[in-house]
Amino acid sequence: MNAAADLPDGRKRPALGVLLREWRAARRMSQLDLALECGLSARHLGFVETGKAQASRESIARIADALAVPLRERNALLLAAGYAPHYAESALAAPPLDRMRQAIDLILHHQEPYPAFVITRHFDVLMANEAAQRVNGFVMEGRQSPHMNLLHQVFDPGDFRQVIVNWEDVARKFIRQLHEELVVTPSDTRARTLLDEILAYPGVPAAWRQRPIGAEPDPVLTMTFRSPAGPLRFFETITTFAAPRDVTLDELRIDCAFPADAHTAEVCARLAKG
């Protein structure tokens, strides 16, 4: 089967030139700038974008490097040019990712008694440590979330949104992240669909359809939860894999929450003791 066949849902696969122009616009690079950056002639690059010339696999790799294209979208460029994908996409439980999964398990374990989650770039929650389950159950007073997506949990009025004290600040941060994802990955239809879904929840400002402007008021945003023991305040750090060669690893984020005050640390320690 031709590697450049239509998409599974019947839609036509975008042409290589269309994708390259989208990526250049996202990176604010002219055709000449990109040609100089990846060592190609501007004339040849122009012919590739208009479909008058065929790009080699090596040329596509150099263009993708110059544009800092994520691995999933690199595969899309190759498919659009008629080549087979270069980067595998393995399930996190697959044998090739055994060592990486052990590293993730180690991070989750050592984050105790504080929450840690493994999420995709689209905020789907893949794993969580026991501390995350304890704290979530505590602030939600035993109610289970109907969602496995962090953004839906934050924006759904019937989910964690009801216990987030500074919800508007937190929601604005996530909206900004999603808009930035669309800026740097313009062909990401999943991110656009996700943005539409969370904007459809009640009480979400219509202005957030555009990227929120203005700097964050604090260097690090603290998320504050309402709980039976009083407010619990956390800040987060994000861990990613360096130079991944698999699409799954390229899109993984390990989100570790740390207590922002002594009271929150004490409550987490008490919950860990049962």
Side-chain angles (χ1 to χ4, degrees), residues 52-257:
K52 295 179 180 179
Q54 172 73 19
S56 67
R57 292 181 68 98
E58 179 188 1
S59 295
I60 292 175
R62 289 158 64 182
I63 291 170
D65 286 340
L67 292 170
V69 178
L71 299 192
R72 183 180 298 278
E73 282 69 32
R74 289 178 186 237
N75 280 345
L77 292 178
L78 289 167
L79 284 166
Y83 300 111
H86 178 70
Y87 299 98
E89 182 176 5
S90 307
L92 192 54
L97 301 187
D98 277 348
R99 298 298 294 178
M100 281 63 75
R101 192 172 60 256
Q102 290 172 18
I104 292 172
D105 289 340
L106 187 65
I107 293 173
L108 296 184
H109 174 73
H110 280 282
Q111 183 63 13
E112 291 282 351
Y114 309 127
F117 309 85
V118 179
I119 59 177
T120 68
R121 81 181 195 193
H122 297 123
F123 300 93
D124 294 320
V125 181
L126 303 182
M127 301 170 62
N129 65 358
E130 292 183 5
Q133 298 171 46
R134 290 193 302 267
V135 172
N136 287 353
F138 185 62
V139 300
M140 291 292 286
E141 300 187 61
R143 298 188 299 277
Q144 296 293 317
S145 170
H147 303 293
M148 291 303 294
N149 181 277
L150 185 60
L151 293 190
H152 281 287
Q153 292 175 355
V154 169
F155 281 81
D156 186 345
D159 209 326
F160 281 93
R161 176 172 169 177
Q162 61 187 305
V163 296
I164 300 176
V165 176
N166 57 334
W167 177 80
E168 188 166 331
D169 291 337
V170 172
R172 185 183 292 109
K173 182 202 76 165
F174 282 124
I175 285 285
R176 179 180 278 108
Q177 288 180 355
L178 202 49
H179 275 294
E180 289 173 352
E181 177 71 24
L182 286 168
V183 168
V184 301
T185 315
S187 58
D188 191 342
T189 56
R190 172 71 198 286
R192 190 163 300 281
T193 299
L194 185 57
L195 179 62
D196 290 339
E197 290 173 350
I198 63 175
L199 287 172
Y201 282 114
V204 177
W208 287 2
R209 290 196 170 275
Q210 304 299 321
R211 182 182 175 188
I213 60 175
E216 293 284 2
D218 298 306
V220 176
L221 177 66
T222 298
M223 186 180 295
T224 305
F225 294 95
R226 189 177 298 107
S227 87
L232 301 181
R233 303 173 66 245
F234 295 93
F235 65 90
E236 65 178 6
T237 64
I238 302 294
T239 301
T240 60
F241 283 91
R245 307 294 293 176
D246 184 279
V247 173
T248 298
L249 294 181
D250 188 42
E251 297 181 351
L252 279 189
R253 311 287 186 264
I254 306 174
D255 188 338
C256 294

